[in-house]
Each structure stands twice: as structure tokens, then as C-alpha cells.
RNA sequence: GCCCCCUUCGUCUAGUGGCCUAGGAUGCAGGAUUCUCAGUCCUGAGACAGGGGUUCAAAUCCCCUAGGGGGUACCA
């Protein structure tokens, strides 16, 4: 039994598509599960410009998800080269063989002639198979034309008298009638190979045992099977996995429909967080990551283990109840038999819930480092190496607890990093919690209590406030919300006493004074929620 | 037009003829806890696309219809 070898063949497009990543993941999982090898082959035919810079983000995405490749760019291997642009000789050699054996032919018809014939067939309601007129040209004539540099393509001569059957691991038996397959062009006029042909030569040359790819390639399969047979290759096993669809739809997720996705209920939230975060960390301009790109999730502070888990669960399941799985669990359990047949919409809600879980598993020091990174990029802290900064952010991150879902969430707590006199009050919060009958008076009174506090730590302050409300026969809810809004400008957030401790007495008193001013000013809403 | 694939709660899925009055998760709604939010716990609503067969028995097998998708290139 031959070794398990799978491959993924990305085009250097400048970004890694999240759906493509899922297909790559399945290839990687299958190889790792069986102790086989995973090959990365770069499909860079017809785009020699800037392959390197267009490939980098793709390799970065693989590294981010920790999908290592055994052969391919950077690591090489025994079946190289791994860039299709460097495999020209292999393709021409294969074409020569087919030509010599009469399994392919030179076609001298012009694109215009072909199109005319196709239109005519369509008008008659016939299936267009091509004319094969070039087959009737005699050898001397062909030699003559070749000599004269007559433009032509090479077509594969499809055996029309048979059917093609594959036993697809995911879809089962699929059959096509060879009599309905037009002769495909395998070599362009300029001598470059077409995808369908290059894939066959490369899959065989790289000894790929299992071709695991998205289902949009299912219709290419009969031609590829025929080509493999014509070239005398051992057929790989095919597994056509469903493509990844836009959230809540069955439409293939496509970068071209990005603007439309802004109105997709699930996607909208991702776009909105991106709008809130990316400009602040200097990624809002050209090349801004969007949710179709793997890079989006990295840049926004998702965890690779969460994306890995979510992607694996898209079109695959372990059993009837397991959702949270480590990469080891998934690798151990992964089989193609448990891949579903129907397209699956990217499940943003599930990703969010998986992300929340995996975030709880990250150690405190990592959480601190990553949050510091965002705060630094956003200019909210000057020096991320400063010990006092690190101590402060460390305490904030602990106080955030499970409110920190993705690392960029820390930016929502900017009230802890801005000067007291520019902190923004949320208008609705002010209206609901501060500008209420009797509240300013209570706040003013409690301010004096705070001013007299000896120790400014959360525990002490809680005792202080509880004692204070008890004396006055109040409930804690009557004052605590007002204080929260006064010192943070917001109606929700981390524990209120932690807020006070983190800010310290000076800021707390200054902010309460500002809030009191705000309450006193009639129609003072103009000074509220006016960021600048 | 032709070829191929797909169709279970809003979503991701379990289900390979009886264990299905269809299970889990997520989302949603209600409740409990709490200073808010988040979290946690409890409760609830929520699906076999439609129609014919086959069978004692069908979400599961067959046929038809409908819907969705992919392909039909000197794209990948």
C-alpha cells in the first residue's frame, strides 16, 4: 500500500481565503491522521509578477494556524519544483507523449471559429462537442504549418465511446458520459498548460494519493481521470468536499461579494468590529483585512485554535455532541467518511462561542502580552515595556476576565487610558444613570466619602460603599451605577470597584467632578459623547 | 440549454430501515445568580423541501417535482 500524500495548491493571490483554508485544513488533517505527507504546490502559471509578495500572506496563514507542510515552498522536497511556473518541461514532455500516441491533437481552429460553431450548436439545441476538423488535416500539412509557426492549441482527444466513473470518498459513485465531454484544450497557443492538465501531471508527479478539493472541481474530474489514464498514471483517490458558503446561505463564499456581505446578519458584526478596531491599530487603509480572509481573524485577535476548531466543524463532525476539540483530538478523529455532502455556511456565531472557550484556556501572561500589543498599536499606551504600564494592564486584563473574547476587545476599555478631562461620556448612560432625580446629590455625597477613603483597593471600597448605603438606608443599586458612569462614562464594564481601584483616587474624584458638572449643566448634552 | 452535486431546528450538525413522541451545539426567549456587562445554571420555543411508491415499519431505500449550488473557457 502506497503512502498517503495530500496536497493543496493555492494561487498567489495576496491573501488566504477562509474557505480555501478549510479545504487545506482537511488535506492537512487527512495527511496527519494517517501519518502521511502534506504538500503545498503553488499554482502560479500565468502570473509571473510578484509571486513572492502575493504568496507570503498565504504561507503566513498556514503558519498562523500551524498547518505545517512537508514539501513545498521554503522546505523543498523530492518531487519539486513546487511552483507550477517552473514545471514547464514536465508539461511539454507529457503533451509530446500524448501527441505521439495519438491521444491528443493540434487544433488549428481559431477561437472565433470555435465560438461560431458553439453558437450554432446552441441555437439548434445540440450539445457542443467541438468539430475535430483539425483531425482531418494530413501530416505533411501540419508539419508545414508548424514550420510556418501557424498558431494552434493542443486538445486532448476524449474517448467518446465510454463513461467515466469515480468512487468519490465523500460523494460515492459519480458517473459521466464520455460522449458528452468536449475535447479540452491542454496547451494554450503560447505553449502554457491549462489547469486541468497541469493538475494531472503534477498530482501524478508528486505522487498524490488523495485529491481532496472543493466540490466545484467535481465537474473537472472526468477529464482529469481520462488524462491520468492516457498518461498511464495510477489514479488518485478523489474526495470532493463541499465548499464553504457565506453565513446562512448556500452560495460559495466569494471575495467578490464582499460589499453584499456587509448586510449579512452574521457577517455584519465582523465588519462592524473591524470598522471599530482596524483604523485604531493602523490597519484601516489599503489591504485592510476582511472576514473572507484568514488574516482578518489573526489581526482581530482570534485564537488559531478557535479558528482551527471552527473550520474543522464546518462540514465535519466527530460525533453527535462534541463541539470543543483541540487540534490533537481533531487530528486523531478526522476521517473523510464523516465529511458532509452539502455546503456549509461559515458559522460566525459558533466561531464566537468556540473562541470564547479557547480564550479561557490562554495563560495570563499571554493575555497580557497580546492586549499590550493592541493598546500599543492604538497609541493608548506609550511604552509597552514600561513596568508600571505592564502592571496596570495586567490588573485590567485580570479584571476583564471572560469579557475578553478576542484580544482586540481590550480597546473597548480605553477609558482606563485616557486623561480624565477628555474621557467620553456615553449619552444614554448619562441620561439613564446620572441625570435622574436625586442622583447628583447622592453622587456628590459619596464623592466626599471616597475623598476620605484611606485605602483605595477594590475590597476596601466595596466595604466602604456598602457601609455608606446602609447608613443612609439606601440600596447599593441607587449609587453604584451612577459612580460607574461617572468614572468610566459607560453603563457596563468590569466590576465597579475594580474600576475605582485601577483609576485611583485622583482620577476617580476628577471624573466624578466632571460628571457632577455635566448633571448640573442644563441641556449640557452637547458636552456628552463628543469624542475628540 | 446540457452535465453533475446538494436539501434535518434561524445556523452548524447527529442520524446508514425499528433505539426518533428526531439528539447536541450555537443563536433566540424566559428565569436564577450579580453593582452593570460578560459568565455560569435552569426552563422554553424551534427541523426531516413537497408528492408518490417499496416495507409490518422510512429522516433513512426507489421514482417524480420543486428549490439551491457548481460546471459547461486558450480561468483556477
Amino acid at each position: 500500500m502506497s503512502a498517503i500524500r495530500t496536497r493543496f495548491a493555492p494561487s498567489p493571490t495576496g491573501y488566504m481565503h477562509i474557505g480555501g483554508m478549510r479545504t487545506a485544513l482537511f488535506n492537512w488533517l487527512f495527511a496527519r491522521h494517517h501519518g502521511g505527507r502534506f504538500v503545498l504546490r503553488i499554482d502560479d502559471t500565468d502570473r509571473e509578477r510578484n509571486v513572492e509578495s502575493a504568496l507570503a500572506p498565504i504561507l503566513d496563514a498556514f503558519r498562523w494556524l500551524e498547518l505545517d507542510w512537508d514539501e513545498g515552498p521554503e522546505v523543498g522536497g523530492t518531487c519539486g519544483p513546487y511552483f507550477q511556473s517552473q514545471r514547464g518541461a514536465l508539461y511539454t514532455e507529457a503533451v509530446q507523449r500524448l501527441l505521439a500516441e495519438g491521444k491528443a491533437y493540434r487544433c488549428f481552429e481559431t477561437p472565433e471559429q470555435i465560438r461560431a460553431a458553439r453558437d450554432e450548436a446552441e441555437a439548434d439545441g445540440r450539445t457542443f462537442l467541438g468539430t475535430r476538423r483539425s483531425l482531418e488535416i494530413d501530416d505533411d500539412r501540419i508539419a508545414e504549418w508548424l514550420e510556418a509557426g501557424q498558431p494552434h492549441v493542443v486538445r486532448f482527444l476524449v474517448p467518446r465511446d465510454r463513461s467515466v466513473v469515480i468512487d468519490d470518498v465523500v460523494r460515492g459513485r459519480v458517473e459521466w458520459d464520455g460522449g458528452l465531454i468536449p475535447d479540452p484544450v491542454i496547451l494554450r497557443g503560447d505553449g502554457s498548460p491549462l489547469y486541468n492538465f497541469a493538475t494531472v501531471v503534477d498530482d501524478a508527479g508528486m505522487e498524490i494519493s488523495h485529491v481532496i478539493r472543493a466540490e466545484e472541481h467535481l465537474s473537472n474530474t472526468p477529464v482529469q481521470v481520462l488524462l491520468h489514464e492516457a498518461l498511464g498514471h495510477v489514479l488518485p483517490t478523489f474526495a470532493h468536499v463541499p465548499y464553504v458558503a457565506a453565513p446562512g446561505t448556500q452560495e460559495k463564499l466569494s471575495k467578490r461579494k464582499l460589499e453584499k456581505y456587509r448586510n449579512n446578519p452574521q457577517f455584519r458584526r465582523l465588519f462592524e468590529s473591524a470598522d471599530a478596531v482596524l483604523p485604531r491599530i493602523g490597519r484601516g487603509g489599503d489591504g485592510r483585512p476582511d472576514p473572507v480572509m484568514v488574516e482578518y481573524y489573526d489581526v482581530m485577535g482570534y485564537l488559531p485554535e478557535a479558528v482551527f476548531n471552527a473550520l474543522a466543524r464546518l462540514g465535519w463532525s466527530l460525533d453527535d455532541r462534541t463541539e470543543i476539540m483541540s487540534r490533537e483530538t481533531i487530528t486523531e478523529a478526522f476521517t473523510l467518511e464523516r465529511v458532509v455532502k452539502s455546503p456549509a455556511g461559515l458559522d460566525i456565531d459558533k466561531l464566537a462561542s468556540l473562541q470564547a472557550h479557547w480564550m479561557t484556556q490562554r495563560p495570563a501572561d499571554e493575555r497580557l502580552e497580546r492586549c499590550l500589543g493592541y493598546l500599543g498599536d492604538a497609541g493608548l499606551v506609550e511604552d509597552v515595556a514600561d513596568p508600571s504600564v505592564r502592571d496596570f494592564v495586567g490588573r485590567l486584563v485580570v479584571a476583564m476576565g471572560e469579557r475578553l473574547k478576542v484580544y482586540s476587545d481590550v480597546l473597548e476599555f480605553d477609558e482606563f487610558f485616557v486623561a480624565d478631562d477628555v474621557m467620553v461620556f456615553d449619552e444614554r448612560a448619562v441620561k439613564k444613570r446620572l441625570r435622574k432625580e436625586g442622583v447628583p446629590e447622592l453622587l456628590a455625597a459619596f464623592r466626599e466619602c471616597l475623598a476620605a477613603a484611606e485605602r483605595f483597593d477594590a475590597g476596601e471600597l466595596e466595604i466602604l460603599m456598602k457601609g455608606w448605603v446602609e447608613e443612609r438606608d439606601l440600596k447599593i443599586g441607587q449609587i453604584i451605577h451612577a459612580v460607574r458612569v461617572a468614572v468610566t462614562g459607560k453603563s457596563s464594564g468590569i466590576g465597579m470597584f475594580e474600576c475605582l481601584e485601577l483609576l485611583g483616587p485622583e482620577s476617580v474624584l476628577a471624573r466624578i467632578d466632571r460628571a457632577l458638572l455635566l448633571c448640573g449643566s442644563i441641556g449640557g448634552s452637547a458636552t456628552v459623547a463628543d469624542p475628540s
Side-chain angles (χ1 to χ4, degrees), chain A residues 107-121:
Chain A
C107 173
F108 292 90
E109 287 183 82
T110 64
E112 292 72 40
Q113 286 174 306
I114 300 280
R115 191 165 48 234
R118 180 183 296 124
D119 290 348
E120 192 183 319

Side-chain angles (χ1 to χ4, degrees), chain A residues 63 66 225 276 317 454:
Chain A
R63 280 188 274 264
E66 293 178 50
V225 167
S317 64
E454 283 172 17

Side-chain angles (χ1 to χ4, degrees), chain A residues 105-113 134 137-154 187-191:
Chain A
Y105 61 99
R106 299 181 194 276
C107 173
F108 292 90
E109 287 183 82
T110 64
E112 292 72 40
Q113 286 174 306
S134 292
I137 305 169
D138 62 63
D139 293 352
D140 295 343
R141 187 71 151 287
I142 287 178
E144 201 177 295
W145 282 0
L146 247 31
E147 189 74 21
Q150 182 79 230
H152 66 280
V153 298
V154 176
L187 216 58
R188 291 189 183 91
D190 67 2

